[in-house]
């Protein structure tokens, strides 16, 4: 079984970040001992260098390998450059046991809130997903911006500008899971054989209504994908259990 912890939208800053909630989440996730942690953007609130230094220190508290993509807040104030210096590549590919592939996409544009993947990055993803189909590999795509609108998040204005093209690529390749953040609201859509899963905000104070800080965990075996919503210092809710794709 492969276990993934999916966290998002930390918004580290002096005003929007709850350190106590973050440290509680770290303890919970370390106790789970996941195979990997996927962080889908907005590590910082304004992309300032000083906040990235704090992020780097905070993320070092996680014991599992962590892979992050930037969000729109991270790419403000030259943060897209700082991300590469202090966190790592903005787009990446991870292969686990030769049959499990995770693709990280940078959907951010400096100082723009809306998302965009762009044709070069899409072609790179196409090439990797073609190989996943041929070799029957389990495929996960992680990005910050949602591809499909999320309910109960107000007027839609920040979905990917090239969402249609990206959605077609993901569905045509029967990607197993697409992980995103951005809206601070956990949600699952299933389209054809692809699960589109959004995570809430792990530890920021930017929450809608009675929402609480949370993260997702995924338990993936040969037959199924189990999706669990974890409220930090609270209950765990099974959001769904789905059959694993047979390509």
């Amino acid at each position: 079984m492969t276990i993934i912890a999916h966290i998002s939208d930390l918004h580290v800053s002096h005003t929007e970040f709850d350190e106590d909630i973050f440290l509680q989440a770290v303890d919970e996730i370390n106790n789970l001992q996941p195979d990997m942690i996927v962080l889908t953007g907005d590590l910082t609130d304004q992309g300032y260098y000083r906040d990235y230094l704090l992020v780097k220190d905070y993320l070092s508290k996680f014991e599992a390998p962590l892979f992050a993509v930037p969000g729109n807040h991270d790419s403000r104030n030259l943060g897209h450059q700082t991300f590469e210096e202090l966190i790592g590549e903005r787009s990446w590919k991870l292969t686990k046991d030769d049959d499990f592939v995770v693709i990280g996409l940078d959907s951010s544009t400096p100082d723009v809130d809306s998302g965009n993947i762009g044709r070069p990055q899409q072609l790179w993803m196409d090439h990797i997903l073609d190989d996943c189909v041929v070799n029957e590999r389990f495929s996960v795509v992680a990005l910050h911006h949602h591809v499909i609108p999320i309910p109960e998040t107000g007027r839609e204005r920040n979905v990917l500008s090239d969402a249609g093209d990206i959605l077609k690529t993901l569905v045509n390749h029967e990607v197993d899971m697409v992980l995103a953040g951005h809206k601070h609201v956990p949600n699952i859509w299933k389209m054809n054989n692809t699960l589109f899963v959004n995570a809430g905000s792990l530890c920021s104070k930017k929450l809608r209504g009675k929402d609480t800080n949370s993260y997702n965990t995924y338990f993936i075996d040969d037959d199924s994908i189990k999706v669990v919503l974890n409220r930090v210092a609270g209950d765990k809710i099974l959001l769904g259990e789905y059959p694993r794709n047979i390509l």
Side-chain angles (χ1 to χ4, degrees), residues 22-152:
F22 176 81
L23 294 176
Q24 175 64 39
V26 168
D27 287 342
E28 293 178 13
I29 292 172
N30 285 345
N31 287 335
L32 177 66
Q33 297 183 322
D35 294 279
M36 68 185 76
I37 301 168
V38 177
L39 170 49
T40 52
D42 281 359
L43 291 65
T44 71
D45 193 55
Q46 294 295 332
Y48 293 131
Y49 196 92
R50 64 173 184 266
D51 292 336
Y52 269 109
L53 291 174
L54 290 173
V55 166
K56 186 175 181 179
D57 180 60
Y58 281 127
L59 295 183
S60 70
K61 300 180 186 302
F62 287 110
E63 296 172 358
L66 186 147
F67 305 90
V69 293
N72 54 302
H73 284 260
D74 298 319
S75 291
R76 297 175 179 176
N77 300 304
L78 297 181
H80 60 295
Q81 297 178 8
T82 308
F83 187 98
E84 291 187 336
E85 176 186 343
L86 297 179
I87 305 301
E89 294 182 355
R90 291 181 288 141
S91 300
W92 41 265
K93 171 193 170 187
L94 164 68
T95 301
K96 177 181 178 292
D97 300 330
D98 199 43
D99 64 351
F100 194 109
V101 174
V102 185
I103 302 169
L105 299 176
D106 178 12
S107 61
S108 69
T109 302
D111 302 308
V112 176
D113 284 336
S114 60
N116 181 69
I117 297 300
R119 188 61 178 159
Q121 196 172 201
Q122 182 184 355
L123 290 173
W124 173 73
M125 176 177 63
D126 284 347
H127 176 72
I128 298 172
L129 293 178
D130 285 343
D131 181 72
C132 288
V133 171
V134 170
N135 293 288
E136 299 185 354
R137 294 187 172 105
F138 189 93
S139 55
V140 179
V141 173
L143 70 167
H144 178 63
H145 292 82
H146 52 296
V147 184
I148 306 175
I150 307 301
E152 298 183 348

Side-chain angles (χ1 to χ4, degrees), residues 199-217:
S201 171
L202 182 71
C203 53
S204 84
K205 300 176 182 178
K206 297 181 174 185
L207 299 171
R208 290 178 169 83
K210 295 182 180 179
D211 284 348
T212 60
N213 294 110
S214 65
Y215 58 96
N216 296 340
T217 46

Side-chain angles (χ1 to χ4, degrees), residues 222-243:
D222 292 339
D223 300 315
S224 67
I225 304 168
K226 184 166 69 172
V227 181
V228 177
L229 170 66
N230 306 266
R231 292 173 174 158
V232 180
D235 53 354
K236 302 180 186 301
I237 302 169
L238 177 64
L239 293 184
E241 188 164 0
Y242 304 87

Side-chain angles (χ1 to χ4, degrees), residues 145-150 156 159 163 167 187 189-191 196 198:
H145 292 82
H146 52 296
V147 184
I148 306 175
I150 307 301
E156 182 54 67
V159 72
L167 184 60
N187 187 73
W189 291 126
K190 187 173 188 293
M191 181 175 290
F196 294 82
N198 272 68

